[in-house]
Amino acid sequence: MTQYMTTNTTTGTTLDKPYRVAVIPARGGSQRIPRKNIRLLDGKPLIAYSIETAIASGLFDRVIVSTDDMEIAEIARQFGAETPFFRPADLADHMTGTTPVMQHALRRLIDEGKTPNQACLIYATCPMLTPEDLQQGLTQLEDQSTVFCFSATTFAFPIQRALHIQENGELAPMFPEHIGKRSQDLVEAIHDAGQFYWASTQDWFDEEIFGPKSKPLLLPRHRIQDLDTEEDWLRLTQIMKLKNMS
């Protein structure tokens, strides 16, 4: 893998100041909640929250939206993001993961002649993310033993005591050896919160997001909300109303 560094395209000299970018993926074809990324939440397109948080953090030289959709691109620009390229169709289907999308964006920036030292992928669906979260994530990333820093939170219930319905319709524990144990005797589990992922450009190509040298930034559960169903959306709108009342 080529070693990347930030260079001044005019003089060719290495820049002393870290060059950082935020990339916000936002494809147009969301299926479970149609047009989710630009659906209005409290009067504002959902993606606008991520753009504004990235800009307010003061951490980034550029905030870029990676999209295949003209309307999303226009809205992104209205709220201060750049859309210097469109994502190809083969990276805009529901099967494409986060990493290939980020690598595509970084390759486009590399081709421009100015490679970021660090890059943060921020989802378009995290209106409760704060600039302070991004700052703490960067601080944690800059620990030399960390290759990725990502937002995470705890499960609300011990996963070792999960149940599932089998094909024959009968109920069964997923982990029979733990089903009778007390909650306090089980190891607390965490999960990816789906908000942001910090890494160097090099590590976006060379490392796994959830590898052994990755570190989570733990956030409280009340600031985490998946957006996969209409029920999720309803819960988010209720949380935002309570937030605005406080």
Side-chain angles (χ1 to χ4, degrees):
M1 183 67 198
T2 304
Q3 292 294 316
Y4 297 123
M5 67 173 60
T6 303
T7 56
N8 185 304
T9 55
T10 302
T11 65
T13 57
T14 301
L15 297 175
D16 294 326
K17 179 181 177 296
Y19 174 48
R20 302 188 185 105
V21 300
V23 176
I24 302 173
R27 68 187 185 93
S30 54
Q31 293 180 318
R32 289 173 291 189
I33 304 179
R35 308 299 286 168
K36 171 175 65 176
N37 291 319
I38 54 174
R39 185 170 176 174
L40 294 183
L41 176 67
D42 199 22
K44 188 160 57 177
L46 183 60
I47 193 174
Y49 292 91
S50 294
I51 294 171
E52 291 177 341
T53 296
I55 293 172
S57 74
L59 298 173
F60 303 106
D61 297 275
R62 301 176 72 179
V63 176
I64 294 169
V65 168
S66 168
T67 186
D68 61 321
D69 187 279
M70 190 72 72
E71 184 182 12
I72 292 176
E74 182 178 347
I75 290 172
R77 291 191 293 268
Q78 290 174 5
F79 285 90
E82 300 178 46
T83 55
F85 52 81
F86 275 84
R87 199 192 312 175
D90 63 338
L91 290 178
D93 60 33
H94 69 282
M95 298 297 293
T96 302
T98 294
T99 299
V101 172
M102 187 62 163
Q103 290 174 345
H104 169 263
L106 290 173
R107 286 192 184 99
R108 292 298 299 260
L109 298 181
I110 292 164
D111 290 344
E112 290 179 4
K114 192 175 181 183
T115 303
N117 296 90
Q118 295 156 325
C120 186
L121 186 145
I122 303 172
Y123 280 146
T125 54
C126 50
M128 291 180 283
L129 181 68
T130 70
E132 292 74 23
D133 296 332
L134 294 172
Q135 178 62 68
Q136 290 178 38
L138 175 61
T139 299
Q140 199 154 294
L141 177 76
E142 290 180 335
D143 178 338
Q144 292 184 357
S145 64
T146 302
V147 295
F148 271 93
C149 180
F150 63 95
S151 59
T153 195
T154 57
F155 282 93
F157 186 83
I159 60 171
Q160 299 92 335
R161 289 176 54 185
L163 306 171
H164 71 108
I165 299 174
Q166 302 177 97
E167 290 184 4
N168 63 7
E170 294 181 355
L171 188 70
M174 292 190 71
F175 306 100
E177 68 275 23
H178 296 306
I179 195 63
K181 293 182 180 179
R182 302 181 305 166
S183 298
Q184 58 265 42
D185 295 331
L186 299 171
V187 175
E188 186 173 55
I190 66 173
H191 63 88
D192 171 23
Q195 294 191 339
F196 70 83
Y197 309 83
W198 270 109
S200 70
T201 293
Q202 188 75 44
D203 287 337
W204 271 110
F205 288 92
D206 291 353
E207 301 288 344
E208 297 291 332
I209 293 178
F210 304 120
K213 292 185 179 180
S214 298
K215 291 186 178 178
L217 177 69
L218 289 176
L219 300 178
R221 288 197 298 268
H222 70 266
R223 287 208 290 117
I224 308 300
Q225 178 60 53
D226 281 341
L227 279 178
D228 295 326
T229 67
E230 287 294 335
E231 183 180 0
D232 293 338
W233 185 272
L234 177 60
R235 184 172 186 274
L236 177 61
T237 60
Q238 293 170 338
I239 291 171
M240 294 297 287
K241 286 179 182 177
L242 290 173
K243 179 182 176 184
N244 293 336
M245 291 171 58
S246 62

